[in-house]
């Protein structure tokens, strides 16, 4: 199954799998809890101490720390999508109704009739207004305060959901009768005109990180495009295939296509780097701990943030293993070079200094003796590395006259 990923904050990822909601530690990748839920909706609400989700039959509240189900509500209607949170309440689309639910106990507090089947998840504008796709070609807006339908707009067939909101404007992908898709801009009122901003535009759509622009795909030529709110192109980056996931965060656009994740500089519109994960990418989540990737095989891959202190540790360990391997095959010059690179980053790394000393004994015995003396002096007495250093100093005692082996180390 292909899980969808949601960054739940505070180091938690939630994977929405085919039979459960799964909490994952974003630092270690360990599973914190798994709550069974058949065919869960892709939308969840993350609160301080709870996570709210849904499937076709129930809306559920889950304790964030344990995964325990706190309450479950059956509206006796087919639920279309997961919940959204507006003004302290949950709202869930079910058949032709938009249900308002009390998040404390799951009580249904309001039912707003839309007049036709709701066909997509609820989208929430910055103002709190909820937008719904209704029937085959209508959009409706609902306010949480009155729980009443505020406006209906028709003649937008085959809408690609959800819209993107920039200020009071909504941007959406629709399909013309001839099959061509286009990106349109709409104001918050039903009387506002629909303004096509790209006649070849396609989903997905995302707002730029500063909230002032729009990132979307263009069909021909195939490219990722950044536009200003007024539809002026800022940059475009050619794409070999249509993306399966698109994330905009900080100064970066992450775009996934087939096996490859690309990182694009938002300001300049250039590809910074790419990563081939070996499996088709299905979803991407981005948080301050790094990036999580879900593949079509159900694999979840974690990529540490650039400022993650573990990266330097992993790099050091890899270089240390490389240096030891080079010593083992007699490539002392290459081993010394690798140890030197570790010491450039951390002059106090005793393992690297020991390798440097061992590979320097023949070429520069004096430098080797100084390195071994530092290893012996800084390593706890009785440690294996301390004994290795003392034995090496004994071999070099006649070369380095300043070293007194009878002095305490």
């Amino acid at each position: 199954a292909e899980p969808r990923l949601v960054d739940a904050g505070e180091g938690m990822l939630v994977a929405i799998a085919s039979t459960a909601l799964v909490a994952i530690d974003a630092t270690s990748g360990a599973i914190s809890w798994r709550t069974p839920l058949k065919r869960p909706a892709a939308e969840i609400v993350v609160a301080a101490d709870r996570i709210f989700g849904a499937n076709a039959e129930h809306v559920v509240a889950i304790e964030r720390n344990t995964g325990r189900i706190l309450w479950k509500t059956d509206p006796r209607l087919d639920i279309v999508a997961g919940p959204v949170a507006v003004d302290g309440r949950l709202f869930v689309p079910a058949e032709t109704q938009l249900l308002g639910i009390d998040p404390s106990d799951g009580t249904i507090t309001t039912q707003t009739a839309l007049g036709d089947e709701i066909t997509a998840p609820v989208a929430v504008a910055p103002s709190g207004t909820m937008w719904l796709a209704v029937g085959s070609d209508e959009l409706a807006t609902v306010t949480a305060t009155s729980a009443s339908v505020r406006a209906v707009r028709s003649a937008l067939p085959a809408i690609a959901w959800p819209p993107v909101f920039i200020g009071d404007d909504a941007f959406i992908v629709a399909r013309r009768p001839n099959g061509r898709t286009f990106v349109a801009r709409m104001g918050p009122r039903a009387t506002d005109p629909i303004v096509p901003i790209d006649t070849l535009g396609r989903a997905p759509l995302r707002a730029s990180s500063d909230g002032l622009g729009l990132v979307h795909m263009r069909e021909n030529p195939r490219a990722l495009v950044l536009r200003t709110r007024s539809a002026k192109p800022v940059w475009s980056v050619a794409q070999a295939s249509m993306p399966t996931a698109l994330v905009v965060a900080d100064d970066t656009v992450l775009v996934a296509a087939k096996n490859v994740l690309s990182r694009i500089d938002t300001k300049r519109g250039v590809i910074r780097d790419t990563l081939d994960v070996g499996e088709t990418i299905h979803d991407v989540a981005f948080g301050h701990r790094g990036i999580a990737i879900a593949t079509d095989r159900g694999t979840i891959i974690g990529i540490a943030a650039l400022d993650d202190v573990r990266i330097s540790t992993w790099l050091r360990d890899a270089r240390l293993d490389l240096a030891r391997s080079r010593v083992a095959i007699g490539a002392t010059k290459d081993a010394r070079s690798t140890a030197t690179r570790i010491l450039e980053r951390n002059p106090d790394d005793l393992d690297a200094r020991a390798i440097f000393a061992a590979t320097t004994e023949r070429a520069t015995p004096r430098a080797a003796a100084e390195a071994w003396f530092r290893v012996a002096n800084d390593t706890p007495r009785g440690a294996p590395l301390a004994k290795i250093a003392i034995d090496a100093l004994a071999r070099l005692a006649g070369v380095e006259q300043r070293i007194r082996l009878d002095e305490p180390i």
Side-chain angles (χ1 to χ4, degrees), residues 135-185:
S136 62
D137 63 352
E138 291 186 341
L139 290 178
T141 55
V142 177
T143 57
T145 51
S146 63
S148 60
V149 179
R150 192 174 75 175
V152 175
R153 186 192 303 271
S154 301
L156 278 174
I159 298 166
W161 204 255
V164 166
F165 301 99
I166 301 177
D168 292 331
D169 291 336
F171 294 80
I172 199 165
V173 176
R175 188 179 300 275
R176 299 184 187 279
N178 62 5
R180 290 292 185 94
T181 59
F182 67 99
V183 177
R185 184 179 72 232

Side-chain angles (χ1 to χ4, degrees), residues 7 17 67 70 114 122 168 186 198 244 260 271 290 307 321 402:
D7 180 11
L70 300 174
L114 276 298
V122 179
D168 292 331
M186 297 176 292
D198 192 324
T244 52
V260 178
I271 296 176
D307 59 354
D321 288 343
R402 289 185 302 153

Side-chain angles (χ1 to χ4, degrees), residues 336-360:
R336 183 167 60 250
S337 175
T338 304
T340 301
R341 294 186 66 184
I342 299 174
L343 292 169
E344 287 171 351
R345 288 178 173 266
N346 181 12
D348 296 326
D349 193 306
L350 297 179
D351 290 310
R353 191 161 295 282
I355 293 174
F356 175 83
T359 56
T360 311

Side-chain angles (χ1 to χ4, degrees), residues 332 336 356-368:
T332 56
R336 183 167 60 250
F356 175 83
T359 56
T360 311
E361 288 185 13
R362 287 191 176 183
T364 52
R366 181 187 181 89

